[in-house]
Amino acid sequence: MVIRGKQPSCSELFLLCFFLGLSWEVWARKIRYMVPEETDKAFFVGNIAEDLGLQPQEFTERRVRIISRGRTQLFALNPRSGSLVTAGRIDREELCAQIMQCLVSFNILIEDKMKLFPVEVEIIDINDNTPQFQLEDVEFKMNEITTPGTRIPLPLGQDLDVGLNSLQSYQLSSNPHFSLDVQEGADGSQLPEMVLQSPLDREEEAVHHLLLTASDGGNPVRSGTLRIHVQVVDANDNPPAFTQTQYHTSVPENVPLGTRLLTVKATDPDEGVNGEVAYSFHNIDHKIAQIFQLDSYTGEISNKEALDFEEYKIYSMEIQAQDGASLMARAKVLVKVLDINDNTPEVTMTSVTTSVPENFPPGAIIALISVHDQDSGDNGVTTCSIPGNLPFKLEKLDDNYYHLVTERTLDRELTSSYNITVTATDQGTPALSTETHISLQVTDINDNNPVFPQDSYSTFILENNPRGASLFSATAHDADSNENALVTYSLVEDTIQGIPLSSYVSINSDTGVVYALRSFDYEQFQDLQLRVIACDGGVPPLSSNVSLSLFVLDQNDNAPEILYPALPTDGSTGVELAPRSAEPGYLVTKVVAVDRDSGQNAWLSYRLLKASEPGLFAVGLHTGEVRTARALLDRDALKQSLVVAVQDHGQPPLSATVTLTVAVADSIPDVLADLGSIGTPADPDDSDLTLYLVVAVAAVSCVFLAFVIVLLALRLRRWHASRLLQASGGGLVGVPASHFVGVDGVRAFLQTYSHEVSLTADSRKSHVIFPQPNYADTLISQESCGKSEPLLVTQDLFEDKKETFSQQAPPNTDWRFSQAQRPGTSGSQNGDETGTWPNNQFDTEMLQAMILASASEAADGSSTLGGGAGTMGLSARYGPQFTLQHVPDYRQNVYIPGSNATLTNAAGKRDGKTPAGGNGNKKKSGKKEKK
């Protein structure tokens, strides 16, 4: 490389070639440049881009930079040209002092690949320093009897430059008595001495003034001068003499200030002033002179500044002893500094990464670390370590560089950040260490699914809930952070009874709260099965789901429904027969009611709310059976009106009432005869109707004749009907009232050939029907007879003694309840009136269904219900598809008013069981068969 600034001389070229030859092997491994000192800033040093094999534009892209250790940055990179330039003025003497070859070492870091390239730059000396003497004037005293040839050592000149630019020659001014002789020292330095050429004569010249000039070999030549004053004194024939020609001592570098290091001793055999010796430094470096102190009287050498092994390993100085007659002697002193471990290792983070993702692969580089110790020997040998419980390790490189790399895969959910302590320790005694901390954040990736605390959930809600009611709150947790932990909720689409699930419930996507979109009905469904999905906001998103069972609880929202006696559509009241000979406890009729609710809400109790004759009738609390409380008396009214209330056990309880009319008579003719004498109370609506008719007749007189004709036609039709009743009335005489059974509005005689009678007490019409004969073990078919209405007795019938016959409407085939709609009932328990209620909802519903199934069949007290085996006679009424598979057989719980028999089950005979006997006042005690 060409050094700009001056043309090299032949000697410089020779030295350059010599140094290049000596360091050829080093050059083969490192990038080396040369640059003269004292150049301006940005002075071109070398084309570093070409030597690194890079283009200048890659410097910024690949983050190429200079790494220097422990000193001011002397060089810089020019990213435009790719060259290495100076960062400022470089003073070789400040950097390297008197070292011949001044080398500055540093590293070039290519950060994207974390590669280091060592670089050495040699600072070439220029002649920028003038030779100087430590003193400007020096005075010598010489005895006049000093013999010619005496040599007087002169102070050395100092030139901070090296090589040819250093001090090369001395020159003494012309004098007849003195000449200059330059000796070469052991280290190659020039030692000027002044030689006495001729004897001195104090009387002739007492003081001689000389000028010593020191010149270097630079171009141009620089020089410095020293003024010498030689004073001629009287004779002193003995110079001082040191006890040793050279003194040695070794001290540790941490010796305290002011410590006595060494004592030199010189003696002079002369007496008086000529024998007094004074000590002083001679030819000593000015830096060393600032460190040590010499006692001129005792010769003790002490330190006034701290010693530093890293700066000077050996301090060399020369001590001069001079007596009063100016005779002198010199001795050399060497102070060896012993290194101690006083420098802690220096840790430098050359390049470091502050955050890494948690899926960072093992072996990935986190940081580039440099360690250096200024001590020497074992004190300068360092080791670097990190705690062993971290997922990282250190890989040692050249020149005390380390790579901090990952040892295994990181997991942010376990540890989100690491505070890595890098410890550098030397091998001194005691060992010194330095700690540096690296803060590393682990960034999150979406590697965790949302998790519900439980595998499944269940909740309960009362029916008839308000719309928008909060049903349940599902919460899932995601171990990730930020968007990866943001959980949204949704429901899996499904249908319930053909209706989308989304019309029943909804879920808040942010909070997971499930809301009801409609009011639930326990009678419609009892539970909902939902599946809640929790999905996070990561990319790609992760999800999980959980099942939610929503159970609907029953509320008492349905009042009891009275199945028997059924309320006629025309507003009349059904009539039940009770013979006057009935004993106390006689079963008059039975009120059958159901409740669509379940459980306790469907438990029914009966009570007599109102009676025309208090104390005559009693109602079973749990059975609904209407029985006589005492024997009937002649003074008891023929027509008894009872109001029976049916109440459930819900909170609050709901109830329904039914009005019963009981006719007291021993036979049908007695009923007709006795009821004929009962007058119908005046109806206030009739007078109002007559008034309206009169007004209407007066207003529409034009239709009066038509009205008379219609009235006559109606009277003739009633007369004709009464004649038919008289002709067939004898068939009913002698039939006891106890041969009637009333179940679900059906009146059937218990003889082989029977008749149905339907009478109304309050209406203006009466019906007497004679269906076709039927057998006792089968129900009347729909073809032979329509569904019979309850026995009704009308007051007008007995006033006129005339009867009318009409055909009844066909039965309603939609009367049946489905298996899921069977309500509960009372009277399904065995035992007395104070017996316990059914203990579960299932038993209650089955008993209610039993009453419905049993109420549609009637037969005599000793035979089974009609129909084929296992059908309970239901096929004739509802078709062949309705068998015991649909309705359980509970006919043993049906009681026939006026009879001491209980309906039995033909299946009991199939199972080998005999129906239990008993009167009509007690229930069978057999256990119910559970489906």
Side-chain angles (χ1 to χ4, degrees):
M1 166 187 174
V2 178
I3 301 176
R4 306 178 188 273
K6 69 175 183 176
Q7 295 294 331
S9 63
C10 295
S11 58
E12 289 177 335
L13 291 175
F14 174 78
L15 290 175
L16 180 60
C17 294
F18 176 76
F19 287 126
L20 287 176
L22 290 178
S23 27
W24 172 258
E25 184 177 349
V26 180
W27 272 75
R29 292 185 291 107
K30 297 183 179 179
I31 301 174
R32 298 195 60 178
Y33 301 102
M34 291 186 297
V35 64
E37 64 171 332
E38 302 296 335
T39 56
D40 295 332
K41 184 178 179 180
F43 182 82
F44 176 84
V45 178
N47 191 347
I48 191 67
E50 180 180 354
D51 294 334
L52 294 177
L54 301 176
Q55 296 297 326
Q57 57 270 21
E58 291 182 274
F59 274 45
T60 303
E61 299 173 357
R62 303 185 66 175
R63 300 192 297 278
V64 180
R65 58 191 177 95
I66 295 175
I67 301 174
S68 60
R69 177 183 296 154
R71 63 175 61 191
T72 306
Q73 190 73 271
L74 300 178
F75 300 94
L77 295 175
N78 189 334
R80 293 184 178 179
S81 61
S83 59
L84 181 68
V85 298
T86 57
R89 189 185 68 85
I90 301 176
D91 188 354
R92 181 191 179 283
E93 288 72 26
E94 182 180 354
L95 289 176
C96 303
Q98 297 297 312
I99 299 175
M100 288 297 299
Q101 188 178 24
C102 183
L103 297 177
V104 177
S105 299
F106 56 90
N107 293 288
I108 299 295
L109 171 65
I110 302 179
E111 192 167 357
D112 63 339
K113 292 187 177 180
M114 290 195 179
K115 289 185 177 181
L116 294 171
F117 295 88
V119 177
E120 284 187 354
V121 178
E122 182 179 0
I123 309 300
I124 304 301
D125 181 53
I126 64 172
N127 192 20
D128 58 338
N129 290 283
T130 301
Q132 293 180 354
F133 292 91
Q134 190 173 1
L135 301 173
E136 297 181 357
D137 297 278
V138 64
E139 181 177 354
F140 297 104
K141 292 181 179 181
M142 296 187 70
N143 198 298
E144 59 181 351
I145 62 172
T146 303
T147 61
T150 301
R151 293 177 175 269
I152 302 174
L154 298 178
L156 297 178
Q158 290 185 351
D159 194 332
L160 297 179
D161 295 328
V162 296
L164 296 177
N165 295 327
S166 64
L167 194 149
Q168 298 294 323
S169 62
Y170 291 94
Q171 186 177 3
L172 186 64
S173 60
S174 178
N175 187 280
H177 297 282
F178 299 95
S179 64
L180 180 64
D181 186 15
V182 179
Q183 302 291 329
E184 185 174 356
D187 55 353
S189 60
Q190 295 182 2
L191 304 177
E193 294 181 347
M194 188 172 60
V195 181
L196 181 62
Q197 295 291 335
S198 60
L200 298 176
D201 188 359
R202 189 188 65 84
E203 289 73 24
E204 182 180 352
E205 187 175 359
V207 177
H208 299 269
H209 299 281
L210 303 173
L211 184 64
L212 179 64
T213 302
S215 303
D216 60 17
N219 186 15
V221 177
R222 293 176 178 267
S223 61
T225 59
L226 173 65
R227 290 186 294 272
I228 302 173
H229 306 282
V230 180
Q231 184 177 2
V232 181
V233 295
D234 288 335
N236 181 18
D237 54 353
N238 293 299
F242 283 95
T243 57
Q244 301 177 23
T245 58
Q246 193 172 35
Y247 293 87
H248 299 271
T249 187
S250 298
V251 294
E253 61 176 325
N254 63 342
V255 64
L257 300 180
T259 301
R260 186 180 65 180
L261 306 179
L262 181 68
T263 301
V264 296
K265 182 66 175 177
T267 61
D268 192 328
D270 294 329
E271 294 181 355
V273 178
N274 294 330
E276 295 179 358
V277 179
Y279 302 94
S280 62
F281 287 118
H282 179 72
N283 291 334
I284 186 173
D285 188 270
H286 67 280
K287 289 185 178 180
I288 299 178
Q290 295 175 358
I291 297 175
F292 296 96
Q293 182 176 5
L294 176 63
D295 191 323
S296 60
Y297 296 102
T298 62
E300 292 181 356
I301 300 175
S302 60
N303 63 321
K304 58 182 180 180
E305 290 187 5
L307 305 182
D308 190 357
F309 174 84
E310 287 70 36
E311 185 176 1
Y312 288 97
K313 296 177 177 57
I314 296 177
Y315 291 93
S316 178
M317 60 194 81
E318 191 175 10
I319 306 300
Q320 177 179 282
Q322 185 175 358
D323 60 15
S326 298
L327 295 181
M328 296 172 291
R330 296 182 180 88
K332 192 170 185 179
V333 176
L334 298 177
V335 179
K336 184 178 181 181
V337 181
L338 301 179
D339 183 36
I340 63 169
N341 192 24
D342 60 340
N343 291 283
T344 58
E346 299 175 359
V347 179
T348 304
M349 293 297 161
T350 306
S351 179
V352 64
T353 301
T354 58
S355 63
V356 295
E358 59 179 320
N359 60 347
F360 218 41
I365 299 175
I366 303 297
L368 178 63
I369 304 171
S370 172
V371 180
H372 176 68
D373 196 319
Q374 295 183 6
D375 293 323
S376 62
D378 291 340
N379 296 333
V381 178
T382 59
T383 58
C384 193
S385 63
I386 60 174
N389 59 345
L390 298 178
F392 306 99
K393 64 180 180 179
L394 288 172
E395 295 180 350
K396 186 171 176 30
L397 306 177
D398 295 335
D399 200 15
N400 283 335
Y401 279 92
Y402 293 86
H403 270 161
L404 177 64
V405 299
T406 56
E407 190 173 18
R408 59 181 182 269
T409 304
L410 306 179
D411 190 352
R412 190 205 66 83
E413 285 70 42
L414 294 178
T415 307
S416 61
S417 63
Y418 293 92
N419 189 15
I420 306 170
T421 301
V422 180
T423 304
T425 307
D426 59 25
Q427 296 183 5
T429 303
L432 300 180
S433 62
T434 301
E435 290 185 354
T436 301
H437 301 279
I438 299 175
S439 180
L440 182 65
Q441 298 294 327
V442 181
T443 58
D444 182 47
I445 64 171
N446 193 25
D447 58 344
N448 289 280
N449 295 67
V451 177
F452 288 95
Q454 301 180 18
D455 296 334
S456 61
Y457 296 91
S458 61
T459 187
F460 300 86
I461 183 174
L462 289 172
E463 64 173 333
N464 304 318
N465 56 285
R467 294 183 180 180
S470 174
L471 306 181
F472 185 76
S473 178
T475 304
H477 299 280
D478 196 313
D480 294 322
S481 64
N482 299 329
E483 293 80 4
N484 297 330
L486 185 62
V487 180
T488 57
Y489 302 90
S490 61
L491 294 175
V492 176
E493 282 297 330
D494 197 359
T495 57
I496 301 176
Q497 300 179 357
I499 301 176
L501 177 65
S502 58
S503 64
Y504 287 92
V505 293
S506 67
I507 189 170
N508 189 309
S509 60
D510 296 327
T511 62
V513 178
V514 180
Y515 297 96
L517 297 181
R518 62 170 61 184
S519 180
F520 297 151
D521 188 357
Y522 175 84
E523 288 71 36
Q524 183 180 4
F525 56 84
Q526 286 76 41
D527 63 274
L528 288 175
Q529 299 297 328
L530 313 176
R531 186 157 289 276
V532 180
I533 299 177
C535 183
D536 60 26
V539 178
L542 302 178
S543 64
S544 61
N545 60 77
V546 68
S547 62
L548 172 60
S549 299
L550 178 62
F551 297 99
V552 182
L553 301 180
D554 184 42
Q555 273 189 329
N556 191 26
D557 59 342
N558 291 284
E561 297 180 10
I562 299 177
L563 301 180
Y564 181 82
L567 297 177
T569 58
D570 57 359
S572 61
T573 304
V575 176
E576 304 290 343
L577 295 179
R580 288 189 176 276
S581 61
E583 297 180 355
Y586 175 81
L587 177 63
V588 177
T589 185
K590 182 175 182 178
V591 177
V592 180
V594 295
D595 195 315
R596 295 181 60 191
D597 294 322
S598 63
Q600 184 174 343
N601 296 329
W603 296 351
L604 303 181
S605 60
Y606 301 82
R607 62 187 178 93
L608 185 60
L609 187 64
K610 181 180 180 182
S612 58
E613 187 71 30
L616 180 58
F617 297 96
V619 178
L621 178 63
H622 303 318
T623 63
E625 296 175 348
V626 180
R627 297 178 181 271
T628 57
R630 60 176 175 79
L632 296 174
L633 304 177
D634 294 338
R635 58 180 175 81
D636 293 330
L638 175 63
K639 178 182 177 184
Q640 299 290 335
S641 179
L642 307 177
V643 178
V644 179
V646 184
Q647 180 175 292
D648 58 25
H649 282 66
Q651 292 297 330
L654 302 178
S655 62
T657 60
V658 63
T659 301
L660 300 176
T661 301
V662 180
V664 180
D666 291 328
S667 62
I668 294 298
D670 294 341
V671 173
L672 300 177
D674 294 340
L675 291 179
S677 63
I678 301 176
T680 303
D683 190 352
D685 293 338
D686 292 342
S687 60
D688 294 338
L689 180 61
T690 304
L691 177 61
Y692 295 149
L693 291 176
V694 171
V695 176
V697 170
V700 291
S701 59
C702 61
V703 295
F704 176 75
L705 183 59
F707 174 78
V708 173
I709 295 174
V710 173
L711 181 61
L712 290 176
L714 292 176
R715 297 297 295 175
L716 289 174
R717 184 177 180 182
R718 293 188 64 181
W719 175 81
H720 179 69
S722 65
R723 298 293 296 176
L724 293 177
L725 181 60
Q726 292 176 2
S728 58
L732 299 177
V733 180
V735 179
S738 62
H739 286 203
F740 284 89
V741 60
V743 180
D744 194 21
V746 179
R747 288 290 184 263
F749 291 106
L750 301 182
Q751 295 179 351
T752 302
Y753 294 91
S754 60
H755 303 276
E756 260 183 56
V757 179
S758 179
L759 305 176
T760 60
D762 297 326
S763 67
R764 295 292 190 264
K765 297 181 181 180
S766 300
H767 304 281
V768 179
I769 302 172
F770 294 92
Q772 296 295 327
N774 63 303
Y775 293 97
D777 58 349
T778 60
L779 293 178
I780 301 172
S781 64
Q782 186 173 354
E783 291 82 0
S784 61
C785 179
K787 182 178 179 181
S788 302
E789 299 292 334
L791 179 62
L792 305 175
V793 180
T794 177
Q795 190 170 1
D796 291 347
L797 175 63
F798 298 104
E799 290 177 353
D800 300 336
K801 305 297 184 181
K802 298 178 182 180
E803 300 174 352
T804 314
F805 299 89
S806 63
Q807 183 67 28
Q808 287 181 306
N812 184 6
T813 60
D814 297 332
W815 170 84
R816 294 167 293 169
F817 284 81
S818 65
Q819 189 74 9
Q821 294 175 328
R822 294 174 188 165
T825 184
S826 64
S828 61
Q829 294 291 324
N830 297 323
D832 53 17
E833 296 289 3
T834 61
T836 60
W837 288 95
N839 56 6
N840 59 60
Q841 179 178 346
F842 178 81
D843 290 345
T844 303
E845 294 180 352
M846 298 306 294
L847 290 176
Q848 292 171 343
M850 172 274 298
I851 294 301
L852 296 178
S854 301
S856 64
E857 305 181 28
D860 60 78
S862 61
S863 64
T864 62
L865 292 177
T871 66
M872 296 178 61
L874 298 176
S875 299
R877 183 176 180 90
Y878 299 105
Q881 74 280 3
F882 197 97
T883 64
L884 286 179
Q885 300 175 0
H886 304 82
V887 179
D889 189 3
Y890 291 98
R891 289 169 291 182
Q892 65 270 21
N893 296 284
V894 179
Y895 300 93
I896 304 172
S899 174
N900 59 357
T902 304
L903 296 183
T904 61
N905 187 1
K909 298 178 181 180
R910 294 195 306 270
D911 300 335
K913 300 178 182 179
T914 303
N919 54 36
N921 298 330
K922 295 185 179 180
K923 304 176 185 177
K924 293 180 66 178
S925 60
K927 295 182 179 180
K928 296 180 295 178
E929 176 186 358
K930 293 185 179 179
K931 294 291 183 178

